[in-house]
Amino acid sequence: MIKIQSTLPATGNAYILFGFEAIQARPNLDPYSSTLRMNDETGQVFTSDVHIKHHVRRGLKAYAAAENLPHAAETVFYEKEDEAGNPCNFDLRLKKIREAAGISKPDMKDALNNTLDLPLFGYVHAIKGENFNVTNAANTLFRPVTFHDCEIYSLGRNNAFPTLDKQNKVKDSAGSATVDSLEYGFFLALWEINLNMLRVNASASKLIDWEKGGAARWFEALVNGMWRAYSSDRYPSFTQRSQFAQFVLGWMPEGEVSYANPASLYDRLEEKRINTHSGAVTALEKVLPDFLSGWGCYESNVFVKHRAANFPVALPGAEA
């Protein structure tokens, strides 16, 4: 469990840089073509904020269970299916959360105050007569992306059952498909968290007492959600099972920052294409210090640092 001991201020922006690997995987495909989302000019593969938040939500739920938070199984609002695989809409999720929390007198902010994802990621409360918006406190600043050029393989796959044509005969290519697969990618996701908005969203939470833990406990939930989703609680699908958390670093800058996109690290690489973990580590040892310095990240303002055992790159701050 990643712990945060620092006391964070009530206002300002904090930043978290989350690094994870994808090895022989297909993360976040283009919904229109089922191919990898990538920059055709640089060969960098990217994913969306919606995709990464989907997985972090799963990690938040695992964190809630590990911390024995109240009604841990219903601490994430946005779930498309229930335990039996049945589809869930907005009204049904709200009903389930109220039932789990033992709420007898419903209030329009029940979902906000009894989940972990809504105070962090915001939502629109779309109920007739009580509509309101909750602004996101935590956002990825840019699309999470590999900082390097990637090697993409086209792989043939066979399905268990072939497809029949209109004459009930097996098609020549039935049961087979060619898909593209990312051989190796080291992704960097930069998060910006507005502390004032987080306080507004979470001040009445029934799960994490703002008066006792403040922003630090919410940051703890967020980074553990990230880490668990890409380590101990990875989803078993082909897109997610071979992705692994490498490091998480959080800091509070005190002055001007560069606003550099992690994708721009590509321009500083001597060798643009990277296809191994050791190659990514060697490159990050050279380019990451200046990037972090540009974002105002120093030993004195880091509030969380956690690394995988196989990630030796030096990072500012004390180990969590």
Side-chain angles (χ1 to χ4, degrees), residues 162-174:
T163 305
L164 304 180
D165 61 19
K166 293 181 179 179
Q167 285 73 42
N168 238 16
K169 295 182 179 181
V170 176
K171 294 181 180 179
D172 291 338
S173 61

Side-chain angles (χ1 to χ4, degrees), residues 43-314:
Q44 292 171 275
V45 175
F46 61 86
T47 183
S48 65
D49 64 332
V50 173
H51 177 80
I52 196 170
K53 285 178 181 179
H54 167 73
H55 290 299
V56 172
R57 281 184 166 96
R58 205 164 28 76
L60 286 171
K61 191 173 178 179
Y63 166 79
E67 288 290 284
N68 295 313
L69 294 186
H71 55 88
E74 299 294 346
T75 50
V76 168
F77 185 78
Y78 281 105
E79 291 187 331
K80 296 179 180 179
E81 298 178 346
D82 62 17
E83 296 80 0
N86 300 313
C88 289
N89 60 18
F90 188 100
D91 291 342
L92 185 56
R93 287 300 301 137
L94 185 56
K95 179 182 177 182
K96 282 182 170 291
I97 287 168
R98 283 171 172 162
E99 289 174 350
I103 295 172
S104 57
K105 296 181 179 180
D107 180 87
M108 65 180 180
K109 293 192 176 180
D110 286 337
L112 176 64
N113 295 334
N114 286 278
T115 61
L116 293 174
D117 58 330
L118 298 188
L120 289 166
F121 303 147
Y123 83 122
V124 177
H125 188 78
I127 299 292
K128 186 177 180 180
E130 53 182 49
N131 287 5
F132 64 91
N133 295 345
V134 176
T135 303
N136 304 36
N139 292 286
T140 51
L141 266 188
F142 311 99
R143 287 191 300 258
V145 65
T146 63
F147 69 96
H148 57 86
D149 179 14
C150 298
E151 194 164 7
I152 308 297
Y153 284 1
S154 294
L155 304 175
R157 302 185 72 187
N158 292 318
N159 298 320
F161 297 100
T163 305
L164 304 180
D165 61 19
K166 293 181 179 179
Q167 285 73 42
N168 238 16
K169 295 182 179 181
V170 176
K171 294 181 180 179
D172 291 338
S173 61
S176 301
T178 301
V179 299
D180 55 354
S181 175
L182 172 62
E183 184 66 7
Y184 177 84
F186 197 112
F187 287 81
L188 295 174
L190 181 63
W191 295 75
E192 181 179 68
I193 303 92
N194 184 284
L195 289 166
N196 183 60
M197 189 55 61
L198 180 59
R199 177 186 57 79
V200 171
N201 293 352
S203 59
S205 173
K206 308 297 183 185
L207 300 176
I208 297 177
D209 189 337
W210 184 267
E211 295 301 321
K212 293 182 179 179
R217 284 289 310 282
W218 282 94
F219 275 77
E220 195 172 281
L222 179 59
V223 297
N224 276 284
M226 292 181 199
W227 198 265
R228 283 178 168 273
Y230 288 82
S231 59
S232 58
D233 294 272
R234 292 193 312 277
Y235 199 66
S237 71
F238 182 53
T239 62
Q240 187 68 9
R241 65 174 176 256
S242 54
Q243 297 188 60
F244 308 95
Q246 286 295 300
F247 75 90
V248 61
L249 184 71
W251 69 96
M252 282 284 301
E254 298 168 359
E256 295 293 323
V257 297
S258 65
Y259 295 112
N261 189 331
S264 67
L265 289 174
Y266 174 89
D267 297 326
R268 306 183 192 181
L269 297 179
E270 297 176 4
E271 179 59 49
K272 306 296 187 185
R273 173 158 290 192
I274 295 173
N275 52 25
T276 64
H277 171 80
S278 60
V281 165
T282 299
L284 287 170
E285 285 175 336
K286 296 178 181 179
V287 301
L288 199 54
D290 284 344
F291 176 81
L292 292 172
S293 177
W295 274 96
C297 177
Y298 303 106
E299 294 280 343
S300 59
N301 59 22
V302 168
F303 57 81
V304 63
K305 179 176 76 170
H306 189 74
R307 295 179 293 178
N310 65 335
F311 188 74
V313 177

